[in-house]
Amino acid sequence: MARKIFTSVIFAAFLLNIVALNSVAFAKDDFGKWLDLNSKGREYAEKGKYDKALQTFNKILQKYPTEFPFSSNDFLPPNKATILTNIGSTYLRMNDTDKALEYLNQAVAVKSDFAPIYNALGAVYYKLADYDKAIENFNKAIELNENYAEALGNLKNTYIKSNNRNAENWNDLGNAYFKFEDYKQAIECLDKAVELVPNDSTLLKNRGLAYFNLKDYNAALENFSEALKFKPDDTKILSLVGQTYFNLENYDKAAEYSQKVLAINPTEISALNTLADSYSKLGENDKAIETYKKIVELNPKTATAWYNLSKFYYESGDYENAAACGENAVKIDENYAEAWELLQDTYSKLSDVWRKKYEEHKKLSKENKSANDRNKNLKLAMAYLEKANEYLDKENDAITARSTISYRIFNSAMESIIRPSTRGNYFYILGSVTDA
C-alpha cells in the first residue's frame, strides 16, 4: 500500500497567568468557549465529518476574528493562526490540496513563526509529491521548534519516499534526531547515509556516537574503529575510542588511546579527563593527580575540572583538598548541583574527623594526672570541637544550596511540561502529521 500522509491536529492549552486572566474575566470566558468549539471541530474532522468540522472552525473565525485582548510573555493565543491551520488540515484530509494551501498560507500571514503551519504545509506538498518543498517546510517547522517530533518523523518519511536524498541529508536528519535524543532513529538515518558513502569517517563517527549514547559500547567501538581507518589521526575519534574503552572498563586501552590523542594535542581536555580517570581506576594515583592538576591548570575557570579533582581527592580520603577544590567549583558555578553534593559529603567527613579528635583529646584530658597536660588536651579538644562545628555549619550550607538548586530545577521541569515552547510566543502544542 502506498504511503499516505494526513494531518491530525492536536491542541492542548495551558493557562499560565491566572492573575492576568482574572483581570479580564470576559476574555477568559470567551477563550473557554473558543477551546470547546475548537475541540468539537477537531473531533468532527477526526471522525470524517468534514462539513461540520469546517462549519465549526469558520464559526470560530467569525465569532473571534482577532486575537484575544489579553496577553503576556507566557500567554499569547494565536487563535486565528490555529484555526486557519485546522481548516487547512481538514481540507488536506478531504484531498483538496488547493484549499489546504490557501488556508495554510493565510495562517503563515497571520503568524509566520508558528511551527505547526509548516508541518501541515509539508504534508500538503508530500501529498502533491513535491518532496523538495515538503522537506523545506518540515525543516522550517523543526527550525522553529527543535523538539517537534512529528515534523522529524515526517521529514524522515519524506526522505524515504523521495528516494533521492544524499548522504548529507541523512546525516543532517540523524543529527536532528540526535539533538532530540532519539538515538535509535538517528542510527536508522545514519545507516542510510553510510550505505550511500561507506568510507566517510564523519558518518561512522556520528553513528558511533548514537550507539555510545544508547550505551551499546561495542557497536560504538566498532563504528569508531572503522572511522579511524579513514582518519587515523583524528583526535576526536581517538578520544571517543578512549572514552568507550573506559565505559567498557578496559582502563589500559582507555589510557592508551587517550595518550595517542595527547601525543597529537597535549591540551585535549576530554583525553586528559579519560586518562586521569583511567589512572585512578588502575590505582596509579600519582599519575592520576598529576593529570587532574594539568586539567585544572589548563582550565582554571572551569568548574568541571575542579569538581573532578575534588572527586579524586575525596575518593582518595584527602578531604581537606577535596573541600578546597569543591569550593573552587561552586565559586565558578554556584548552580553546580553535583559539586554541592560532593561538598556536603566532604564537609560531613571533615566534621567527623575533627569530632573524633575532639573525643580523643577530651578523653585524654580526663586521663591525664598532670593538671598542665589536662588543660593542654582540653584546650585542644575544644579547638577540635570548634573545627567540627565549623564543618557541620558548612555541611548545612551545602544542603541548603543543593535544596535551592533542586527546587529551581523542579520548577524549570514543571514549566517545560506546562509550556513546551516559548520560541513563537505560544503556549500549546498544535498539529502533528503522521504517516498512515
Side-chain angles (χ1 to χ4, degrees):
M1 180 181 285
R3 289 176 177 270
K4 294 181 180 179
I5 280 189
F6 65 91
T7 301
S8 99
V9 180
I10 302 171
F11 181 87
F14 301 90
L15 303 180
L16 298 177
N17 196 328
I18 301 303
V19 175
L21 290 180
N22 286 338
S23 67
V24 280
F26 174 78
K28 180 182 176 183
D29 183 58
D30 271 8
F31 187 63
K33 291 175 182 177
W34 180 88
L35 283 173
D36 290 339
L37 284 170
N38 183 56
S39 180
K40 285 180 182 178
R42 281 178 26 249
E43 187 177 345
Y44 285 137
E46 288 162 6
K47 290 181 178 179
K49 298 178 180 179
Y50 302 127
D51 288 340
K52 285 190 174 182
L54 292 172
Q55 286 172 13
T56 306
F57 292 138
N58 279 305
K59 182 178 178 181
I60 297 171
L61 284 182
Q62 291 166 11
K63 194 173 178 68
Y64 310 106
T66 58
E67 306 297 340
F68 287 99
F70 52 90
S71 67
S72 73
N73 288 335
D74 291 333
F75 193 88
L76 179 59
N79 58 300
K80 190 171 182 180
T82 300
I83 300 306
L84 289 168
T85 303
N86 289 353
I87 293 173
S89 299
T90 303
Y91 276 119
L92 179 58
R93 285 175 178 268
M94 297 167 68
N95 295 320
D96 190 339
T97 52
D98 288 339
K99 279 286 187 182
L101 285 173
E102 177 188 336
Y103 279 92
L104 290 170
N105 285 325
Q106 287 182 42
V108 171
V110 172
K111 190 163 182 63
S112 62
D113 61 350
F114 191 35
I117 303 171
Y118 299 98
N119 190 42
L121 277 169
V124 176
Y125 286 117
Y126 179 97
K127 195 170 189 67
L128 291 169
D130 189 341
Y131 301 120
D132 286 336
K133 280 193 176 179
I135 288 166
E136 180 185 336
N137 280 280
F138 290 137
N139 273 322
K140 178 71 173 176
I142 295 163
E143 179 187 327
L144 290 167
N145 183 352
E146 62 185 12
N147 294 323
Y148 207 152
E150 293 87 350
L152 281 172
N154 291 332
L155 185 58
K156 179 186 171 187
N157 289 334
T158 309
Y159 280 163
I160 292 170
K161 184 70 174 178
S162 64
N163 203 32
N164 63 354
R165 298 298 105 192
N166 58 35
E168 185 180 355
N169 294 141
W170 284 113
N171 182 56
D172 289 345
L173 185 58
N175 287 337
Y177 274 115
F178 198 95
K179 289 176 185 175
F180 194 61
E181 296 183 7
D182 189 341
Y183 303 117
K184 289 182 179 179
Q185 290 286 355
I187 289 167
E188 286 186 22
C189 295
L190 289 162
D191 282 344
K192 292 186 177 295
V194 172
E195 282 175 19
L196 293 167
V197 186
N199 59 350
D200 190 298
S201 64
T202 299
L203 299 178
L204 291 162
K205 178 193 71 177
N206 289 348
R207 188 167 66 175
L209 274 169
Y211 279 116
F212 185 93
N213 279 277
L214 285 173
K215 298 184 179 179
D216 187 344
Y217 299 122
N218 287 313
L221 190 60
E222 183 180 337
N223 278 272
F224 295 145
S225 298
E226 189 68 20
L228 282 177
K229 290 179 182 178
F230 307 107
K231 278 194 175 182
D233 294 327
D234 189 308
T235 56
K236 288 184 179 178
I237 301 173
L238 287 167
S239 185
L240 286 166
V241 172
Q243 290 172 42
T244 307
Y245 273 123
F246 184 88
N247 287 354
L248 286 168
E249 299 182 7
N250 189 336
Y251 304 121
D252 286 315
K253 278 287 187 182
E256 177 189 333
Y257 275 87
S258 298
Q259 286 164 338
K260 286 182 179 182
V261 176
L262 296 169
I264 300 168
N265 180 7
T267 62
E268 181 75 41
I269 296 300
S270 61
L272 284 165
N273 274 318
T274 304
L275 182 60
D277 291 343
S278 299
Y279 282 145
S280 179
K281 291 290 186 180
L282 291 167
E284 298 184 38
N285 291 348
D286 290 342
K287 288 183 179 180
I289 196 68
E290 180 185 341
T291 310
Y292 280 125
K293 284 181 176 178
K294 186 173 182 180
I295 296 168
V296 170
E297 287 171 11
L298 289 168
N299 290 274
K301 297 294 184 183
T302 303
T304 307
W306 286 108
Y307 169 74
N308 287 336
L309 187 55
S310 173
K311 190 176 178 183
F312 175 80
Y313 277 128
Y314 179 87
E315 290 171 353
S316 302
D318 186 346
Y319 302 122
E320 293 284 355
N321 274 320
C325 293
E327 285 162 3
N328 280 335
V330 297
K331 192 181 295 182
I332 294 166
D333 181 2
E334 62 180 11
N335 295 314
Y336 201 155
E338 292 88 349
W340 279 113
E341 182 178 2
L342 183 58
L343 266 178
Q344 177 191 330
D345 293 341
T346 305
Y347 290 145
S348 178
K349 292 285 188 183
L350 285 167
S351 181
D352 289 345
V353 167
W354 289 104
R355 191 167 293 278
K356 283 178 183 176
K357 289 186 177 183
Y358 158 73
E359 296 290 349
E360 288 170 7
H361 284 81
K362 183 182 175 184
K363 183 179 178 182
L364 284 173
S365 70
K366 291 180 179 178
E367 293 174 352
N368 288 135
K369 295 180 180 179
S370 163
N372 187 44
D373 287 342
R374 280 199 302 273
N375 289 335
K376 182 180 176 181
N377 279 293
L378 185 58
K379 189 176 180 180
L380 281 171
M382 296 312 295
Y384 293 150
L385 179 61
E386 186 178 345
K387 198 76 174 173
N389 287 335
E390 177 188 331
Y391 281 114
L392 184 61
D393 289 340
K394 286 187 174 184
E395 181 187 355
N396 289 329
D397 289 342
I399 292 170
T400 302
R402 277 191 64 208
S403 298
T404 302
I405 294 165
S406 298
Y407 179 74
R408 194 180 299 127
I409 291 170
F410 174 78
N411 279 346
S412 178
M414 290 303 295
E415 185 175 311
S416 69
I417 292 169
I418 294 171
R419 184 176 57 190
S421 175
T422 57
R423 280 175 172 263
N425 246 356
Y426 54 91
F427 64 98
Y428 51 81
I429 304 169
L430 166 74
S432 64
V433 182
T434 55
D435 189 56

